[in-house]
Amino acid sequence: GDSVTQMEGPVTLSEEACLTINCTYTATGYPSLFWYVQYPGEGLQLLLKATKADDKGSNKGFEATYRKETTSFHLEKGSVQVSDSAVYFCALRLQGGSEKLVFGKGTKLTVNP
Amino acid sequence: NAGVTQTPKFQVLKTGQSMTLQCAQDMNHEYMSWYRQDPGMGLRLIHYSVGAGITDQGEVPNGYNVSRSTTEDFPLRLLSAAPSQTSVYFCASSYGTGVGANVLTFGAGSRLTVL
């Protein structure tokens, strides 16, 4: 079935380090892809999205490129901050007909000063 | 403030009790959904609705009921609570079509403990 696989966490980095969180998916057709972020004690909020192959989503210094050939949507940031500490979720929405999102299990990021 | 409002934020139940988690949105979103979040499991879809009067099951619907009598409200009912339903529950909504479709707006969550 359709699924999203994220790298296992937790991930701990020092401030200004580079971040990559891997995300791969299994789906038929051309799904839309999303990264959501959950800050401590809050609900999830959209970080960025891409709706077709080779699209790059970006927001708050984070980027992810929709790679159809490798079925991937890795999240990257060149220099993380303490305020980026959160849980990050990769998700997909199937092409056509369904409003449902399928989420990965989440990756917890902790950034130390 | 526009958004998704969930109540209560915290609830403790005994096994076998029933309760309703409330969810309301004021953004005129057609699509509403309930997820549960468990450690190591991510978010799993319980039920969803694409409009008033229309509901459908998600990945883990057993033990939960929903209804959608208005566009704004989408309550989640636990008929006979079980310890396996201890979780954090999130309500989320979005436009069904157009630019905002599938960009979910989440509530702050409801933490439920079943003893």
Side-chain angles (χ1 to χ4, degrees), chain A residues 70-92:
Chain A
T70 55
T71 62
S72 66
F73 193 55
H74 305 321
L75 182 67
E76 299 176 326
K77 188 173 186 181
S79 177
V80 294
Q81 306 300 313
V82 173
S83 58
D84 294 326
S85 297
V87 181
Y88 293 83
F89 292 89
C90 186
L92 68 82

Side-chain angles (χ1 to χ4, degrees), chain A residues 21-33:
Chain A
I21 300 177
N22 292 333
C23 171
T24 58
Y25 68 89
T26 301
T28 55
Y30 296 89
S32 296
L33 301 173

Side-chain angles (χ1 to χ4, degrees), chain B residues 47-100:
Chain B
H47 284 286
Y48 66 98
S49 168
V50 298
I54 305 170
T55 63
D56 206 347
Q57 296 181 350
E59 182 184 355
V60 288
N62 292 341
Y64 307 95
N65 277 354
V66 292
S67 60
R68 184 94 180 268
S69 57
T70 67
T71 300
E72 295 78 19
D73 300 300
F74 191 47
L76 178 72
R77 298 182 185 85
L78 284 70
L79 301 179
S80 178
S84 61
Q85 294 179 302
T86 294
S87 187
V88 180
Y89 292 84
F90 288 99
C91 180
S93 68
S94 73
Y95 292 108
T97 58
V99 174

Side-chain angles (χ1 to χ4, degrees), chain A residues 42-105:
Chain A
E42 299 182 10
L44 282 71
Q45 56 186 274
L46 179 70
L47 181 60
L48 52 83
K49 68 174 183 176
T51 57
K52 61 183 187 293
D54 299 325
D55 268 1
K56 177 186 284 188
S58 61
N59 187 26
K60 298 181 180 180
F62 291 88
E63 293 183 339
T65 301
Y66 186 164
R67 302 288 188 196
K68 180 67 176 175
E69 64 276 12
T70 55
T71 62
S72 66
F73 193 55
H74 305 321
L75 182 67
E76 299 176 326
K77 188 173 186 181
S79 177
V80 294
Q81 306 300 313
V82 173
S83 58
D84 294 326
S85 297
V87 181
Y88 293 83
F89 292 89
C90 186
L92 68 82
R93 181 252 185 181
L94 300 175
Q95 180 187 23
S98 171
E99 293 81 5
K100 294 183 289 185
L101 292 188
V102 176
F103 285 87
K105 294 184 178 181

